[in-house]
Amino acid sequence: DVQMTQSPSNLAASPGESVSINCKASKSISKYLAWYQQKPGKANKLLIYSGSTLQSGTPSRFSGSGSGTDFTLTIRNLEPEDFGLYYCQQHNEYPRTFGGGTKLELK
Amino acid sequence: EVQLVESGGGLVKPGASLKLSCVASGFTFSDYWMSWVRQTPGKTMEWIGDIKYDGSYTNYAPSLKNRFTISRDNAKSTLYLQMSNVRSEDTATYYCTRSYYGYTFDYWGQGVMVTVSS
């Protein structure tokens, strides 16, 4: 199985700031990485797939980069609704695997 | 509007069986792969498996393959997860997801909790 390691586990920031969340795969997954957002009381949301392709409806302040084993989710100009849990997931091979999550909190 | 509504969770004893259901609406269910994903109380997310749009093919996480079975009834727009010989480590919130050919999960249900305890 491909192990996915996210960092940091916790991140505190203020509205208007920019943040980056990293995801490292235990072996190359080409470009096939997705990012999800989880917020209390709301359905989980697919933000980005194939490393950098924004899912329909994802605001342009979100961006994804990387390939091979190292990927980054960047959120620019944080909005209050961006605080929550973020997960990466590889979709290069079975079994699909997720990172451990990053909690983005309000500073 | 896409909606996925899970049901069938609750408190079950170790060794028991349980069947979760997920009723889909707002899209043509028979056109899509579907998946189950679970999240432990510690927030670890784990892919369980998926099923092709016509039910002809399934994939499973190796650690769950012998105990979990995914099926679907396209006439009822319903996805199922049959869990057998459940263990305490199966305690989690179970999510039904619409899947893009098994690759990513573009819509999620609200989840249903399963607690395995004697």
Side-chain angles (χ1 to χ4, degrees):
Chain A
D1 299 4
V2 181
Q3 306 303 317
M4 306 301 296
T5 303
Q6 269 183 255
S7 62
S9 300
N10 295 280
L11 185 54
S14 301
E17 292 183 346
S18 295
V19 297
S20 291
I21 298 170
N22 300 303
C23 186
K24 188 174 185 67
S26 60
K27 65 177 188 180
S28 177
I29 55 170
S30 186
K31 64 177 181 177
Y32 299 113
L33 186 92
W35 292 97
Y36 298 87
Q37 179 190 62
Q38 183 177 63
K39 296 174 63 174
K42 295 200 167 185
N44 296 342
K45 195 175 181 183
L46 170 64
L47 299 172
I48 288 170
Y49 60 93
S50 296
S52 61
T53 303
L54 264 61
Q55 174 70 356
S56 175
T58 300
S60 58
R61 62 181 180 274
F62 289 85
S63 64
S65 63
S67 66
T69 60
D70 293 289
F71 298 83
T72 301
L73 172 70
T74 300
I75 313 171
R76 293 186 167 78
N77 193 18
L78 277 167
E79 296 281 347
E81 61 266 27
D82 297 336
F83 295 92
L85 256 176
Y86 289 84
Y87 290 92
C88 62
Q89 174 242 328
Q90 63 84 15
H91 54 98
N92 185 61
E93 63 181 65
Y94 282 110
R96 309 303 185 208
T97 47
F98 289 84
T102 295
K103 188 173 185 180
L104 176 58
E105 297 178 296
L106 187 62
K107 188 188 289 184
Chain B
E1 180 194 5
V2 171
Q3 287 201 332
L4 300 168
V5 180
E6 303 96 337
S7 62
L11 175 64
V12 291
K13 295 186 187 308
S17 295
L18 189 67
K19 190 170 187 175
L20 306 182
S21 300
C22 168
V23 177
S25 60
F27 65 102
T28 304
F29 182 72
S30 57
D31 285 349
Y32 287 87
W33 286 62
M34 298 292 292
S35 302
W36 286 97
V37 176
R38 69 183 183 182
Q39 185 175 33
T40 68
K43 299 298 186 184
T44 297
M45 203 74 82
E46 181 180 19
W47 174 79
I48 295 170
D50 59 27
I51 185 167
K52 195 176 178 181
Y53 45 82
D54 60 0
S56 64
Y57 189 67
T58 51
N59 293 291
Y60 295 96
S63 61
L64 300 174
K65 185 174 185 175
N66 293 333
R67 297 190 297 118
F68 287 17
T69 302
I70 297 173
S71 60
R72 64 192 296 162
D73 184 338
N74 284 347
K76 295 182 178 179
S77 295
T78 302
L79 177 72
Y80 302 101
L81 177 66
Q82 177 71 53
M83 306 166 60
S84 62
N85 190 23
V86 297
R87 306 165 181 169
S88 58
E89 52 263 39
D90 295 322
T91 294
T93 298
Y94 287 73
Y95 293 98
C96 164
T97 74
R98 193 179 83 169
S99 183
Y100 180 73
Y101 291 99
Y103 296 116
T104 55
F105 317 112
D106 61 354
Y107 285 94
W108 297 61
Q110 290 289 344
V112 61
M113 287 189 62
V114 173
T115 302
V116 182
S117 175
S118 55

